[in-house]
Amino acid sequence: MKIAVSGKGGVGKTTISANLIKLFAQKGYNVYAVDADPDSSLGMALGIDESELSQIQPIIDMKDMIGDIMGDGALYKLNPLVNDIADKFSIHKNMIKFLRMGAVKKGDSECYCRENIFLKAIVNSLILETKDIVIMDMGAGIEHLTRGTSKGVDLMIIVTEAGKSSVQTARIVEGLAKDIGIKKIKFIANKVRNEKEEAFIRENFQHSELMGIVHYDEKISDRAMGIEKVTETLDNNEIEEILNKIISN
Ligand SMILES: Nc1ncnc2c1ncn2[C@@H]1O[C@H](COP(=O)(O)OP(=O)(O)OP(=O)(O)O)[C@@H](O)[C@H]1O
Ligand SMILES: [Mg+2]
């Protein structure tokens, strides 16, 4: 199954992605953790050492390899063979393979069609066995949703906070996800602090649209500040409930 996690800046996309990735791995799934956010932070949230992270280049910046596989001239392959790339250029941590895509660039003066086709081919090459799962942290902004990398996604999770602007962005993302043909789109409310906020979420989302509500969790913010260590295993029951819903559907 391929899952993309999207939503407004700062709502908790990376946190939710990292938690789901670790939980799936804990349950014995092979997980491809795809950082599709140019401001990548998924690796850190997964607890991968900075020294190790700095050793892998984002796929999009591997110009020579892209040239070799795609062809260098004005003509390039539309269906490049990239079967072993994802495994070769990812960091392997137990059941997790971490892959940094880099910024999917827009053609301004230069055309990045070649690079974009390459990234899309890599996402599509993550061929899935029954116990494989791909989780992509898409980053903020909605540009990526018009790109090929969102195709083939089985479930789009849109994270939102209890606030009008965050909900508005969530609805815009939903519209775009529908436009590009993603059939299953669900919401997660994150950092919910009290009953008033919970009521706001329930007013704005139907029960069937909502995968779950994740309350503000001090352990999560302590980890972000480095007060608590980022661990490999997890203990957030609300996120685990969401994962169980994903598995059973
Ligand atoms: N449930 C939660 N409880 C407490 N803090 C949280 C929770 N979820 C996320 N946070 C904190 O909120 C901040 C933003 O989270 P995160 O980086 O996951 O958001 P993001 O949507 O990925 O942001 P960006 O758009 O910059 O990529 C982080 O400091 C994170 O630790
Ligand atoms: Mg993020």
Side-chain angles (χ1 to χ4, degrees), residues 11-225:
V11 290
K13 298 174 291 295
T14 302
T15 304
I16 299 284
S17 301
N19 281 275
L20 288 175
I21 289 162
K22 290 182 202 178
L23 278 170
F24 270 112
Q26 250 168 266
K27 287 191 186 285
Y29 286 77
N30 291 304
V31 194
Y32 283 102
V34 179
D35 195 346
D37 183 357
D39 288 323
S40 56
S41 59
L42 183 64
M44 246 166 80
L46 288 171
I48 301 173
D49 286 343
E50 273 173 70
S51 58
E52 204 172 342
L53 282 174
S54 63
Q55 278 167 23
I56 58 158
Q57 228 187 346
I59 301 276
I60 197 125
D61 294 334
M62 298 178 179
K63 298 258 182 285
D64 291 347
M65 180 189 66
I66 296 179
D68 286 349
I69 292 175
M70 297 289 289
D72 273 324
L75 289 174
Y76 47 80
K77 293 176 192 153
L78 292 177
N79 290 304
L81 254 183
V82 293
N83 287 345
D84 54 344
I85 304 288
D87 276 6
K88 209 161 142 193
F89 295 101
S90 53
I91 295 179
H92 297 211
K93 285 270 168 216
N94 301 323
M95 306 294 282
I96 300 171
K97 287 179 186 163
F98 172 71
L99 203 60
R100 244 175 102 194
M101 295 304 232
V104 176
K105 298 186 173 90
K106 247 190 157 163
D108 297 327
S109 51
E110 216 178 323
C111 177
Y112 285 96
C113 322
R114 184 194 313 261
E115 283 82 356
N116 288 330
I117 288 174
F118 190 76
L119 288 190
K120 177 180 157 193
I122 289 195
V123 173
N124 287 336
S125 78
L126 305 175
I127 300 185
L128 301 177
E129 311 280 335
T130 328
K131 273 227 148 183
D132 283 3
I133 196 138
V134 178
I135 297 185
M136 298 196 276
D137 177 1
M138 303 301 288
I142 45 182
E143 180 198 280
H144 53 268
L145 291 178
T146 62
R147 304 274 167 200
T149 40
S150 300
K151 290 224 174 101
V153 166
D154 304 297
L155 167 66
M156 166 76 75
I157 293 178
I158 305 170
V159 184
T160 181
E161 286 180 67
K164 278 188 180 172
S165 68
S166 172
V167 170
Q168 191 184 26
T169 303
R171 290 298 184 192
I172 292 171
V173 171
E174 179 193 24
L176 286 168
K178 275 187 186 154
D179 285 350
I180 58 168
I182 297 176
K183 298 224 164 52
K184 204 164 171 192
I185 304 164
K186 298 276 180 189
F187 298 88
I188 293 178
N190 188 30
K191 299 195 232 180
V192 172
R193 284 177 184 267
N194 51 42
E195 278 173 21
K196 237 190 285 177
E197 290 196 347
E198 201 167 320
F200 176 88
I201 291 297
R202 298 209 187 276
E203 268 162 35
N204 281 278
F205 296 96
Q206 288 169 23
H207 180 71
S208 59
E209 296 180 300
L210 210 53
M211 279 212 120
I213 291 180
V214 179
H215 285 88
Y216 188 88
D217 179 349
E218 212 144 300
K219 246 182 278 161
I220 293 179
S221 67
D222 283 356
R223 286 189 190 120
M225 288 187 285

